[in-house]
Amino acid sequence: MLQYPQINPVALQLGPIAIHWYGLTYLAAFGLFMLLAMRRLHHEPFVSVRGPGAWTRKDIEDMLFLGVLGVVLGGRLGYCLFYKPGYYASHPLEIFYVWQGGMSFHGGMLGVILSQVWFAHSRGKPFWQVMDLVAPCVPPGLAAGRVGNFINGELWGRAADPSLPWAMVFPQSGSLIPRHPSQVYQFLMEGLLLFILLWIYARKERRQGQVAAAFLFGYGVFRFIAEFFREPDAHLVWLQQSTGLSMGQWLCVPMIVIGAGLWVWFGRRPARVA
């Protein structure tokens, strides 16, 4: 049984300005996206696009800028709508209190999708081609975010068998019972493993939309599994007790279904014409 190391969430204090590790993990996520997206431009079909529709570094920079807006705005709104709708309906101004915390992956994903719809429309690029470029570059950023969760000592896991070698005590949970380090599980599954699988899968040209569909399905499955080890939010325990599934799992169900359906549907469409 391990003890949570009590890491200071503030990485650097400059007078009244505090730089938090969690913020740095977001910067790392955006930097990793830029690096990997530039590498994706050397893969098919992006490297073969010529003329006015050719992919450039400026495209990647604009995608990242819009994606950052989508992550922050969508993540915050998603948390308010999915996890505390009653509270924020009564305190609408607190939706803008982002410094109090509260971000949702599923809301952030919807925000990113909307931002890339705008990007694809404004640049005259196929939407699913845009999403195929984006999809394999996302998991490392998710992994960075889980590192931030661990440093903050938040989103801890459910109670674990004390004999489990990596069971960990999180004093922030208000108890000294050993728990699953679910942030680490999510780092390994939704971040590292999903990235490896998607990157290998995307190296070979697929039917347009299949890489994005594989991301939806893969993330949904890995997050669904991880939620069995993650402690539900206190105000949503009733949902897990009454249905057997947590809010995170219910939000993953449509991802899995839609991802699998899109992958099959795209696979039946004619191959891309050069």
Side-chain angles (χ1 to χ4, degrees):
M1 189 170 63
L2 305 174
Q3 183 76 21
Y4 175 74
Q6 294 291 357
I7 304 170
N8 188 343
V10 177
L12 182 63
Q13 186 80 40
L14 299 173
I17 301 175
I19 301 176
H20 290 252
W21 284 112
Y22 194 66
L24 293 178
T25 62
Y26 266 70
L27 290 178
F30 301 144
L32 287 169
F33 176 87
M34 187 70 191
L35 176 66
L36 293 171
M38 290 300 298
R39 292 294 304 165
R40 284 284 285 152
L41 295 187
H42 298 284
H43 299 168
E44 292 291 351
F46 315 104
V47 71
S48 297
V49 180
R50 297 288 186 266
W55 285 88
T56 66
R57 180 184 179 90
K58 180 67 165 56
D59 289 328
I60 302 301
E61 292 172 349
D62 291 345
M63 289 171 64
L64 176 58
F65 174 75
L66 292 171
V68 169
L69 293 179
V71 166
V72 175
L73 297 178
R76 180 59 177 172
L77 290 175
Y79 177 79
C80 298
L81 292 174
F82 298 149
Y83 290 90
K84 290 186 175 181
Y87 177 84
Y88 286 104
S90 303
H91 306 80
L93 291 180
E94 292 191 23
I95 293 175
F96 304 100
Y97 294 1
V98 293
W99 55 88
Q100 292 183 352
M103 297 286 282
S104 161
F105 163 80
H106 296 90
M109 182 189 69
L110 293 175
V112 169
I113 290 173
L114 290 176
S115 74
Q116 300 313 304
V117 167
W118 169 259
F119 172 82
H121 174 74
S122 64
R123 297 301 174 87
K125 296 183 181 296
F127 169 72
W128 287 110
Q129 187 181 85
V130 172
M131 297 311 294
D132 283 343
L133 190 153
V134 169
C137 307
V138 171
L142 301 179
R146 295 310 175 193
V147 171
N149 294 144
F150 184 80
I151 291 174
N152 285 349
E154 60 191 6
L155 306 184
W156 50 77
R158 304 186 190 193
D161 189 329
S163 64
L164 187 70
W166 55 84
M168 183 172 289
V169 173
F170 289 88
Q172 297 92 332
S173 67
S175 69
L176 297 179
I177 63 175
R179 298 178 177 274
H180 290 280
S182 55
Q183 314 97 322
V184 178
Y185 297 173
Q186 292 186 261
F187 167 85
L188 293 174
M189 288 193 293
E190 304 162 14
L192 186 60
L193 180 57
L194 183 59
F195 167 68
I196 292 172
L197 294 175
L198 275 180
W199 194 261
I200 293 173
Y201 180 72
R203 286 297 300 270
K204 181 180 178 182
E205 186 177 4
R206 306 292 176 178
R207 299 292 175 87
Q208 191 173 102
Q210 281 195 313
V211 176
F215 170 83
L216 286 175
F217 178 81
Y219 179 88
V221 169
F222 288 140
R223 175 68 181 269
F224 191 92
I225 295 172
E227 285 284 330
F228 283 115
F229 303 97
R230 176 172 160 176
E231 183 75 12
D233 291 351
H235 61 284
L236 291 174
V237 171
W238 65 270
L239 180 65
Q240 192 274 329
Q241 291 176 341
S242 59
T243 67
L245 299 178
S246 68
M247 174 61 78
Q249 287 174 314
W250 279 114
L251 292 173
C252 284
V253 169
M255 287 186 69
I256 296 171
V257 174
I258 293 172
L262 286 175
W263 189 87
V264 172
W265 184 62
F266 287 132
R268 292 176 177 175
R269 298 178 66 186
R272 179 179 68 93
V273 178

